[in-house]
Amino acid sequence: MRITLLHFAAAAIIMGGTLGLSPHAPGQPAQPPAEAVSPQTIPPSQPDVTDPVADPSAVVVMGKARFTVLTPELIRMEWASDGKFEDHASFVFLNRKLPPVAFDRAELEHGHKLVIKTSALTLTYTPGAGLRSHQDGRFTPENLTIDLSVDGKPVKWHPGLTDDQNLMGTTRTLDGAVGEKTREPIEEGLISRSGWAMVDDSSRPLFDSADFSFKDGQNSPWPWVMERPTGDRQDWYFFGYGHDYRKALGDYVKVAGRIPLPPRFAFGAWWSRYWDYSDQEIEEIVRGFHENDVPLDVFVIDMGWHISREQLQARGEKDQSGHGLGWSGYSWNPLLFPDPDMFLTRLHADHLKTSLNLHPASGIQPWEDAYPAMARAMGIDPASRQYVPFDLTDRKYAANYMNLVLRPLEKQGIDFWWLDWQQEKNTKMAGVNPTFWLNYVHFTDQQRQGLRPLLFHRWGGLGNHRYQIGFSGDTVSVWPSLAFQPWFTATAANVGYAYWSHDIGGHMPGAVDPELFTRWVEFGAFSPILRTHTTKNPDSERRIWVYPEPFSSILRSTFQLRYAMQPYIYTEARRTYDTGVAFLRPLYYDWPEAPEAYSNRNEYLFGDQMLVAPVVQAAEKISGLATEKVWLPEGEWIEWPTGKYVSGPASVDRSFSIEQTPVYVKAGAIVPMQPPMRYTGEKPVDPLIVNVWPLQPGTKSGYSVYEDPGVSVDYQRGVFAITPINAAQDGDTLRVEVGPARGGYPGMPKTRGYELRLPGDWPPASVTVNGAPVPQAGPTGEGGWRFEGNTLTTVIPAASVGVDQKVTIEVRRADGLTARRGELDGFAGAMVRLRAAYDALNTMSRMTAPPDPLLDAMQSGDRLGYHPEKATEELAHFHAALPQAQNAVAAVSKDVRQRIEEAMKWAQEEHKNMGGETPLNADAQRQRWLDALTRAEKLVAEAGR
């Protein structure tokens, strides 16, 4: 009996958002459930209109300085030596026309001093103050200050003030990183414990247009880069949000653009590896996923897809750009892929999205299939065999590159690109970061085609939150690298970068320990993107079914859990789009005044209802348990894999076996999930599985499930559906209401069934669905509600109804049982530990057998599943049986240890009499037995925690 998170909750997670997504905090008063609303009554949202010219009422000019009050906490500050201010969109700030903000302005000291006061900030500017050389008004510590209050304490900012409490952002790449040792520094973030952050936008390039609507498709104007005007100037943005980090990021996306919602398939599993695969090998891997019941959505093909260096060397070719030969490429390797069209058709028939790796720095070399057309388009005679240099800042080159080089490959079936830029740090236009510009051009090229864009590349600096997914690079496969990634991923939210994709398992140098790989995958299941990867080393392995047991089964269950959580993850991704707050984020967003929210770097929130503290260190070898100190914020929390209750704030020492991921849900959490699928969207989510964790009497909770077609941009225009879920506990009766759905989208199911799952609670005395009684299921589990004893989970099916109808499920438990939930505390975890102790003793069949008291305690959950009506008696018996089991295991261990030593002593005497030494295998067997006894003792002791 292995109880993974998948088995414990069987298939679901929580949901919410802003456009009609109105989550209620579990255990708090909830709004009444919404009535049915036709799609027309939901105001359709429109893509944000970007206007870089601020409302005139927000602008204050004094001399050569201009101040723009964007929000009460965000002020733009400009100084220009020529008095000419910038109204073009910059690479970061696209939209300055926000709703006008009320503020006071006063010119004092005969017009020599300006004071701007909002509800949050007081800006004072005295252009003549300070050194005579600075009396032209340039911003200096002497002439410019901003006062604000942080946690009730006054703070004064001035230019040049060092911020040593910035909470940081992210960095371009983790290539070569070992733990926290990154090659490139992590940039500052937009939030700080100091309460302020300042963004210097003075030297960033500009866009020549701010119309990013692309309403005319590929005939739309394409905003392009332009340099800043020459001259001495300052262009700063002051963020003074105190510790309201959520509001800071929410306002940031209003001026810098939203975090787009990736296609739904991106939240499935990705396969990726640095290997020169043939088409047959790829098809074999895909077949392996299917045969081993492992879901998959994306197949990424690394640089081996195109003509190789060795093939080019054999032809006598040289890279005319001076880069490594064969690093760039746009032509299929005909030996590995003799028929790319047929190959890609087969992958699509398996419902896989395909991405190819690009290293574009070498430009278009004369051996490429697209060279003749590209050369002619760029004014080069193809007969000259002169290469076409790469220059994506050249609008002509970019258009031809997209239309003549990449578009033919896309028409063959390539769904998106992996832009693996690792070359120059500059472009031919000063100040233009090649990573940022590659991301912009590729992303907006897809927008101009009317697609929901997706690309895969590195971080290109502030503003890059608009162009995701991020490829974090080639890390070293060691525990410190895994330990760094939870903090690194969460911290990127501080610049709006919500979608880092890591090489799960690490990249190099080769083989990775199965325990480390399993823990890495467990983190990956609770991260934005689940993508395994490794280097070109035959000892490296990422096919999870090849790993030995128990790792293979645990890995499979973890992939399946990721897919079960799709409804939750996708809803949280929509919330990210609406709010600017990444769904994987640091704890201090929600508990900014708790020091532990900053110091517990391994923990993060995964959506609004989950706190995750992934295991990032090796387990103790004998027990197989990894011990972690976990801090839980204020509130009531439930440890998902064990059912343990923890009241926060508290720091607790907890132990986890290899199949357990430390995930904590709020009491009353509602967690929707979906049935098993081979790929995202294989079939409609029917039934929608709704997990509801125990609520305290008199409390309510709610959540809303978000759905849309998954691939179009119409989610920005109100084409989506929301299904509200509300739960209320009244004494011993739980009432759960699902639906009716509001809104709609093409392909939306007209009917749907539901499955309510109530983990970690007493079985029902009675159940009704829409007032009709539901019987207890028979021995096969069909025909009514059933009870999964090992996890204390009640499973209630609700027949299919129209999605425009409300389904009401009432669960009544025997009088007084809700008040006795303390008897259930940690029961699911105890079942796991007792079974593991049983398994350990079963490895010693030549010496002993598991004692009956251990079997008795271990089978408690099994008996509960057969006879939930005897739950109170069975739980009382369990609490009496557990110490008996612990004592019995201790007695067995003592006896067997003595017999082992006697047997070894006898064996030594026998071999001595025969003139030999004790065989080494005898010593090894002795140690295995002793380890098994120690393991059983530790595990059975842990069952009581």
Side-chain angles (χ1 to χ4, degrees), residues 163-186:
D163 179 15
D164 59 1
Q165 298 186 78
N166 190 279
L167 291 167
M168 308 310 290
T170 194
T171 190
R172 189 183 73 90
T173 181
L174 294 182
D175 277 350
V178 180
E180 298 184 3
K181 298 177 181 178
T182 62
R183 291 179 180 174
E184 300 184 23
I186 294 178

PDB file of all heavy atoms in Angstrom, residues 163-186:
ATOM      1  N   ASP A 163      19.699  50.276  -1.300  1.00  0.00           N
ATOM      2  CA  ASP A 163      18.649  49.406  -0.780  1.00  0.00           C
ATOM      3  C   ASP A 163      19.244  48.019  -0.557  1.00  0.00           C
ATOM      4  O   ASP A 163      19.422  47.250  -1.497  1.00  0.00           O
ATOM      5  CB  ASP A 163      17.477  49.342  -1.758  1.00  0.00           C
ATOM      6  CG  ASP A 163      16.364  48.422  -1.254  1.00  0.00           C
ATOM      7  OD1 ASP A 163      16.383  48.081  -0.058  1.00  0.00           O
ATOM      8  OD2 ASP A 163      15.481  48.067  -2.056  1.00  0.00           O
ATOM      9  N   ASP A 164      19.552  47.712   0.708  1.00  0.00           N
ATOM     10  CA  ASP A 164      20.121  46.394   1.010  1.00  0.00           C
ATOM     11  C   ASP A 164      19.055  45.389   1.421  1.00  0.00           C
ATOM     12  O   ASP A 164      19.377  44.289   1.875  1.00  0.00           O
ATOM     13  CB  ASP A 164      21.182  46.516   2.102  1.00  0.00           C
ATOM     14  CG  ASP A 164      20.643  47.110   3.399  1.00  0.00           C
ATOM     15  OD1 ASP A 164      19.431  47.414   3.447  1.00  0.00           O
ATOM     16  OD2 ASP A 164      21.431  47.297   4.341  1.00  0.00           O
ATOM     17  N   GLN A 165      17.783  45.783   1.247  1.00  0.00           N
ATOM     18  CA  GLN A 165      16.694  44.870   1.590  1.00  0.00           C
ATOM     19  C   GLN A 165      15.855  44.494   0.380  1.00  0.00           C
ATOM     20  O   GLN A 165      14.766  43.952   0.531  1.00  0.00           O
ATOM     21  CB  GLN A 165      15.793  45.507   2.655  1.00  0.00           C
ATOM     22  CG  GLN A 165      16.495  45.788   3.962  1.00  0.00           C
ATOM     23  CD  GLN A 165      15.512  46.269   5.013  1.00  0.00           C
ATOM     24  OE1 GLN A 165      14.770  45.480   5.598  1.00  0.00           O
ATOM     25  NE2 GLN A 165      15.501  47.567   5.264  1.00  0.00           N
ATOM     26  N   ASN A 166      16.374  44.792  -0.812  1.00  0.00           N
ATOM     27  CA  ASN A 166      15.633  44.413  -2.009  1.00  0.00           C
ATOM     28  C   ASN A 166      15.461  42.899  -2.043  1.00  0.00           C
ATOM     29  O   ASN A 166      16.385  42.146  -1.730  1.00  0.00           O
ATOM     30  CB  ASN A 166      16.363  44.899  -3.265  1.00  0.00           C
ATOM     31  CG  ASN A 166      15.524  44.748  -4.508  1.00  0.00           C
ATOM     32  OD1 ASN A 166      15.432  43.667  -5.090  1.00  0.00           O
ATOM     33  ND2 ASN A 166      14.893  45.832  -4.917  1.00  0.00           N
ATOM     34  N   LEU A 167      14.281  42.468  -2.426  1.00  0.00           N
ATOM     35  CA  LEU A 167      13.953  41.039  -2.400  1.00  0.00           C
ATOM     36  C   LEU A 167      14.365  40.309  -3.674  1.00  0.00           C
ATOM     37  O   LEU A 167      14.085  39.115  -3.827  1.00  0.00           O
ATOM     38  CB  LEU A 167      12.462  40.863  -2.118  1.00  0.00           C
ATOM     39  CG  LEU A 167      12.080  41.274  -0.686  1.00  0.00           C
ATOM     40  CD1 LEU A 167      10.573  41.389  -0.524  1.00  0.00           C
ATOM     41  CD2 LEU A 167      12.648  40.295   0.326  1.00  0.00           C
ATOM     42  N   MET A 168      15.007  41.015  -4.573  1.00  0.00           N
ATOM     43  CA  MET A 168      15.632  40.458  -5.769  1.00  0.00           C
ATOM     44  C   MET A 168      14.605  39.983  -6.802  1.00  0.00           C
ATOM     45  O   MET A 168      13.419  39.879  -6.515  1.00  0.00           O
ATOM     46  CB  MET A 168      16.614  39.336  -5.426  1.00  0.00           C
ATOM     47  CG  MET A 168      17.639  39.710  -4.372  1.00  0.00           C
ATOM     48  SD  MET A 168      18.515  41.304  -4.716  1.00  0.00           S
ATOM     49  CE  MET A 168      19.520  40.827  -6.128  1.00  0.00           C
ATOM     50  N   GLY A 169      15.120  39.739  -7.998  1.00  0.00           N
ATOM     51  CA  GLY A 169      14.276  39.313  -9.104  1.00  0.00           C
ATOM     52  C   GLY A 169      14.756  38.003  -9.678  1.00  0.00           C
ATOM     53  O   GLY A 169      14.593  36.941  -9.086  1.00  0.00           O
ATOM     54  N   THR A 170      15.395  38.053 -10.843  1.00  0.00           N
ATOM     55  CA  THR A 170      15.895  36.809 -11.438  1.00  0.00           C
ATOM     56  C   THR A 170      17.125  37.120 -12.274  1.00  0.00           C
ATOM     57  O   THR A 170      17.631  38.249 -12.261  1.00  0.00           O
ATOM     58  CB  THR A 170      14.776  36.121 -12.257  1.00  0.00           C
ATOM     59  OG1 THR A 170      15.158  34.779 -12.543  1.00  0.00           O
ATOM     60  CG2 THR A 170      14.460  36.864 -13.538  1.00  0.00           C
ATOM     61  N   THR A 171      17.615  36.129 -12.992  1.00  0.00           N
ATOM     62  CA  THR A 171      18.803  36.301 -13.822  1.00  0.00           C
ATOM     63  C   THR A 171      18.596  35.601 -15.154  1.00  0.00           C
ATOM     64  O   THR A 171      17.656  34.817 -15.322  1.00  0.00           O
ATOM     65  CB  THR A 171      20.052  35.751 -13.106  1.00  0.00           C
ATOM     66  OG1 THR A 171      21.234  36.128 -13.828  1.00  0.00           O
ATOM     67  CG2 THR A 171      20.005  34.235 -13.009  1.00  0.00           C
ATOM     68  N   ARG A 172      19.470  35.891 -16.082  1.00  0.00           N
ATOM     69  CA  ARG A 172      19.289  35.402 -17.454  1.00  0.00           C
ATOM     70  C   ARG A 172      19.313  33.886 -17.530  1.00  0.00           C
ATOM     71  O   ARG A 172      18.526  33.273 -18.261  1.00  0.00           O
ATOM     72  CB  ARG A 172      20.383  35.984 -18.353  1.00  0.00           C
ATOM     73  CG  ARG A 172      20.167  35.727 -19.848  1.00  0.00           C
ATOM     74  CD  ARG A 172      21.321  36.263 -20.661  1.00  0.00           C
ATOM     75  NE  ARG A 172      22.502  35.444 -20.517  1.00  0.00           N
ATOM     76  CZ  ARG A 172      22.808  34.394 -21.289  1.00  0.00           C
ATOM     77  NH1 ARG A 172      21.982  34.031 -22.265  1.00  0.00           N
ATOM     78  NH2 ARG A 172      23.896  33.707 -21.095  1.00  0.00           N
ATOM     79  N   THR A 173      20.235  33.262 -16.785  1.00  0.00           N
ATOM     80  CA  THR A 173      20.414  31.822 -16.966  1.00  0.00           C
ATOM     81  C   THR A 173      21.050  31.201 -15.739  1.00  0.00           C
ATOM     82  O   THR A 173      21.774  31.872 -14.988  1.00  0.00           O
ATOM     83  CB  THR A 173      21.296  31.538 -18.200  1.00  0.00           C
ATOM     84  OG1 THR A 173      21.448  30.127 -18.371  1.00  0.00           O
ATOM     85  CG2 THR A 173      22.670  32.167 -18.061  1.00  0.00           C
ATOM     86  N   LEU A 174      20.789  29.925 -15.547  1.00  0.00           N
ATOM     87  CA  LEU A 174      21.473  29.137 -14.522  1.00  0.00           C
ATOM     88  C   LEU A 174      22.508  28.204 -15.154  1.00  0.00           C
ATOM     89  O   LEU A 174      22.922  27.235 -14.525  1.00  0.00           O
ATOM     90  CB  LEU A 174      20.459  28.319 -13.725  1.00  0.00           C
ATOM     91  CG  LEU A 174      19.466  29.099 -12.856  1.00  0.00           C
ATOM     92  CD1 LEU A 174      18.559  28.141 -12.094  1.00  0.00           C
ATOM     93  CD2 LEU A 174      20.174  30.032 -11.897  1.00  0.00           C
ATOM     94  N   ASP A 175      22.916  28.487 -16.364  1.00  0.00           N
ATOM     95  CA  ASP A 175      23.948  27.669 -17.004  1.00  0.00           C
ATOM     96  C   ASP A 175      25.137  27.492 -16.058  1.00  0.00           C
ATOM     97  O   ASP A 175      25.718  28.467 -15.564  1.00  0.00           O
ATOM     98  CB  ASP A 175      24.436  28.334 -18.292  1.00  0.00           C
ATOM     99  CG  ASP A 175      23.533  28.041 -19.472  1.00  0.00           C
ATOM    100  OD1 ASP A 175      22.654  27.180 -19.348  1.00  0.00           O
ATOM    101  OD2 ASP A 175      23.697  28.698 -20.517  1.00  0.00           O
ATOM    102  N   GLY A 176      25.503  26.240 -15.828  1.00  0.00           N
ATOM    103  CA  GLY A 176      26.667  25.943 -15.008  1.00  0.00           C
ATOM    104  C   GLY A 176      26.474  26.178 -13.531  1.00  0.00           C
ATOM    105  O   GLY A 176      27.427  26.034 -12.752  1.00  0.00           O
ATOM    106  N   ALA A 177      25.265  26.522 -13.092  1.00  0.00           N
ATOM    107  CA  ALA A 177      25.040  26.835 -11.684  1.00  0.00           C
ATOM    108  C   ALA A 177      25.152  25.573 -10.824  1.00  0.00           C
ATOM    109  O   ALA A 177      24.664  24.509 -11.190  1.00  0.00           O
ATOM    110  CB  ALA A 177      23.674  27.482 -11.491  1.00  0.00           C
ATOM    111  N   VAL A 178      25.805  25.729  -9.688  1.00  0.00           N
ATOM    112  CA  VAL A 178      25.849  24.689  -8.665  1.00  0.00           C
ATOM    113  C   VAL A 178      25.258  25.312  -7.412  1.00  0.00           C
ATOM    114  O   VAL A 178      25.866  26.157  -6.778  1.00  0.00           O
ATOM    115  CB  VAL A 178      27.282  24.209  -8.395  1.00  0.00           C
ATOM    116  CG1 VAL A 178      27.279  23.133  -7.312  1.00  0.00           C
ATOM    117  CG2 VAL A 178      27.928  23.695  -9.665  1.00  0.00           C
ATOM    118  N   GLY A 179      24.039  24.907  -7.089  1.00  0.00           N
ATOM    119  CA  GLY A 179      23.361  25.539  -5.973  1.00  0.00           C
ATOM    120  C   GLY A 179      23.170  27.019  -6.231  1.00  0.00           C
ATOM    121  O   GLY A 179      22.719  27.436  -7.297  1.00  0.00           O
ATOM    122  N   GLU A 180      23.530  27.849  -5.248  1.00  0.00           N
ATOM    123  CA  GLU A 180      23.352  29.291  -5.365  1.00  0.00           C
ATOM    124  C   GLU A 180      24.455  29.970  -6.157  1.00  0.00           C
ATOM    125  O   GLU A 180      24.395  31.178  -6.378  1.00  0.00           O
ATOM    126  CB  GLU A 180      23.280  29.906  -3.964  1.00  0.00           C
ATOM    127  CG  GLU A 180      22.109  29.404  -3.135  1.00  0.00           C
ATOM    128  CD  GLU A 180      22.013  30.101  -1.797  1.00  0.00           C
ATOM    129  OE1 GLU A 180      22.838  31.016  -1.548  1.00  0.00           O
ATOM    130  OE2 GLU A 180      21.128  29.763  -0.998  1.00  0.00           O
ATOM    131  N   LYS A 181      25.472  29.216  -6.554  1.00  0.00           N
ATOM    132  CA  LYS A 181      26.601  29.803  -7.274  1.00  0.00           C
ATOM    133  C   LYS A 181      26.249  29.944  -8.755  1.00  0.00           C
ATOM    134  O   LYS A 181      26.435  29.032  -9.556  1.00  0.00           O
ATOM    135  CB  LYS A 181      27.849  28.931  -7.098  1.00  0.00           C
ATOM    136  CG  LYS A 181      28.303  28.816  -5.647  1.00  0.00           C
ATOM    137  CD  LYS A 181      29.492  27.881  -5.507  1.00  0.00           C
ATOM    138  CE  LYS A 181      29.928  27.738  -4.058  1.00  0.00           C
ATOM    139  NZ  LYS A 181      31.064  26.778  -3.917  1.00  0.00           N
ATOM    140  N   THR A 182      25.702  31.102  -9.108  1.00  0.00           N
ATOM    141  CA  THR A 182      25.309  31.371 -10.489  1.00  0.00           C
ATOM    142  C   THR A 182      26.389  32.171 -11.187  1.00  0.00           C
ATOM    143  O   THR A 182      27.091  32.976 -10.567  1.00  0.00           O
ATOM    144  CB  THR A 182      23.978  32.148 -10.537  1.00  0.00           C
ATOM    145  OG1 THR A 182      24.153  33.404  -9.882  1.00  0.00           O
ATOM    146  CG2 THR A 182      22.870  31.375  -9.835  1.00  0.00           C
ATOM    147  N   ARG A 183      26.514  31.944 -12.483  1.00  0.00           N
ATOM    148  CA  ARG A 183      27.529  32.670 -13.247  1.00  0.00           C
ATOM    149  C   ARG A 183      27.171  34.137 -13.420  1.00  0.00           C
ATOM    150  O   ARG A 183      28.036  35.000 -13.498  1.00  0.00           O
ATOM    151  CB  ARG A 183      27.697  32.019 -14.623  1.00  0.00           C
ATOM    152  CG  ARG A 183      28.333  30.647 -14.594  1.00  0.00           C
ATOM    153  CD  ARG A 183      28.436  30.071 -16.005  1.00  0.00           C
ATOM    154  NE  ARG A 183      29.044  28.742 -15.996  1.00  0.00           N
ATOM    155  CZ  ARG A 183      29.144  27.981 -17.083  1.00  0.00           C
ATOM    156  NH1 ARG A 183      28.664  28.408 -18.245  1.00  0.00           N
ATOM    157  NH2 ARG A 183      29.712  26.797 -17.001  1.00  0.00           N
ATOM    158  N   GLU A 184      25.882  34.421 -13.498  1.00  0.00           N
ATOM    159  CA  GLU A 184      25.426  35.784 -13.706  1.00  0.00           C
ATOM    160  C   GLU A 184      24.640  36.240 -12.484  1.00  0.00           C
ATOM    161  O   GLU A 184      23.894  35.461 -11.889  1.00  0.00           O
ATOM    162  CB  GLU A 184      24.563  35.872 -14.969  1.00  0.00           C
ATOM    163  CG  GLU A 184      25.322  35.436 -16.216  1.00  0.00           C
ATOM    164  CD  GLU A 184      24.498  35.619 -17.490  1.00  0.00           C
ATOM    165  OE1 GLU A 184      23.572  36.440 -17.479  1.00  0.00           O
ATOM    166  OE2 GLU A 184      24.811  34.940 -18.483  1.00  0.00           O
ATOM    167  N   PRO A 185      24.810  37.495 -12.075  1.00  0.00           N
ATOM    168  CA  PRO A 185      24.144  37.955 -10.847  1.00  0.00           C
ATOM    169  C   PRO A 185      22.634  38.014 -11.004  1.00  0.00           C
ATOM    170  O   PRO A 185      22.105  38.207 -12.097  1.00  0.00           O
ATOM    171  CB  PRO A 185      24.732  39.350 -10.638  1.00  0.00           C
ATOM    172  CG  PRO A 185      25.148  39.799 -12.011  1.00  0.00           C
ATOM    173  CD  PRO A 185      25.606  38.561 -12.714  1.00  0.00           C
ATOM    174  N   ILE A 186      21.941  37.849  -9.888  1.00  0.00           N
ATOM    175  CA  ILE A 186      20.496  37.989  -9.877  1.00  0.00           C
ATOM    176  C   ILE A 186      20.154  39.470  -9.778  1.00  0.00           C
ATOM    177  O   ILE A 186      20.686  40.189  -8.928  1.00  0.00           O
ATOM    178  CB  ILE A 186      19.886  37.192  -8.714  1.00  0.00           C
ATOM    179  CG1 ILE A 186      20.130  35.693  -8.953  1.00  0.00           C
ATOM    180  CG2 ILE A 186      18.396  37.471  -8.566  1.00  0.00           C
ATOM    181  CD1 ILE A 186      19.621  34.797  -7.858  1.00  0.00           C
TER     182      ILE A 186
END
